[in-house]
Amino acid sequence: MLDQRKIIAMVQVAMLEKEIGQEALDTAKYYREDYISNRVLRGILQYTGIFFLLLFAYFFMEIENILQKLDFQYMMDLGKRISLLYFLGMVCTIVLISIVSYYSYERAYEDSLLYRERLEDLLLLSTAKRTEKLRKKEEKDTNEERGS
């Protein structure tokens, strides 16, 4: 015989897992600092790649102007501007990714706590049912022993 409370609890757990996704459950396995530093490191690598791709595209489009102005002072000024732009963008990227990652982790952690709570409720229903069956079996056995 099927226990409807257990079925409802299982459906709720499955719906919650579908809603929050496996990514949120995997996220909650990390420590907050590890998760944020991992995301920041990936963001730095992505930012650097994108920056150099855009820099290459800029140089490719402006190659004629750069070659016409080619002297040491111009190249030094261009290098300083590129370095400043890179580091300012890097700082902004790190701050932005840190903030977003913090709130993303907190949300995923809360979702995982809710998921664990639902799983524990399901486990309690399952163990309560088993305990009830064992108790009834013991009562039946004791009644049969008394009757004989």
Side-chain angles (χ1 to χ4, degrees):
M1 184 163 176
L2 298 175
D3 184 8
Q4 283 195 319
R5 291 181 301 162
K6 191 174 177 182
I7 293 171
I8 291 171
M10 288 172 67
V11 168
Q12 287 177 343
V13 167
M15 287 173 53
L16 183 62
E17 185 175 349
K18 178 94 170 159
E19 181 182 318
I20 64 175
Q22 190 63 34
E23 184 178 332
L25 297 176
D26 291 341
T27 298
K29 292 178 184 176
Y30 291 101
Y31 289 112
R32 180 184 302 123
E33 292 80 15
D34 293 340
Y35 177 77
I36 293 171
S37 62
N38 185 13
R39 296 277 299 249
V40 167
L41 181 61
R42 284 191 309 175
I44 288 171
L45 293 174
Q46 290 171 348
Y47 172 78
T48 301
I50 291 169
F51 182 83
F52 283 115
L53 282 175
L54 292 175
L55 185 65
F56 176 73
Y58 172 76
F59 277 131
F60 190 68
M61 291 181 343
E62 296 292 323
I63 192 76
E64 187 175 333
N65 292 337
I66 292 172
L67 289 176
Q68 287 176 357
K69 298 177 185 177
L70 192 62
D71 65 347
F72 184 74
Q73 188 61 37
Y74 175 75
M75 295 304 284
M76 289 298 290
D77 290 340
L78 186 62
K80 287 178 187 177
R81 282 187 277 156
I82 290 171
S83 298
L84 182 64
L85 182 63
Y86 176 76
F87 286 114
L88 286 176
M90 180 68 72
V91 168
C92 292
T93 300
I94 290 172
V95 169
L96 183 65
I97 290 175
S98 297
I99 292 169
V100 169
S101 297
Y102 175 80
Y103 287 111
S104 172
Y105 179 84
E106 290 300 317
R107 189 183 74 239
Y109 186 74
E110 289 172 5
D111 289 344
S112 72
L113 289 178
L114 179 62
Y115 180 74
R116 287 184 191 145
E117 182 181 310
R118 295 270 172 91
L119 281 179
E120 288 173 3
D121 291 345
L122 182 61
L123 181 64
L124 285 175
L125 280 174
S126 180
T127 55
K129 189 72 169 178
R130 255 188 267 136
T131 306
E132 186 180 319
K133 284 182 182 179
L134 288 174
R135 187 179 52 77
K136 285 182 181 180
K137 185 177 180 185
E138 288 175 0
E139 286 178 3
K140 185 178 179 183
D141 291 341
T142 54
N143 286 340
E144 288 176 2
E145 288 175 9
R146 286 183 191 168
S148 33

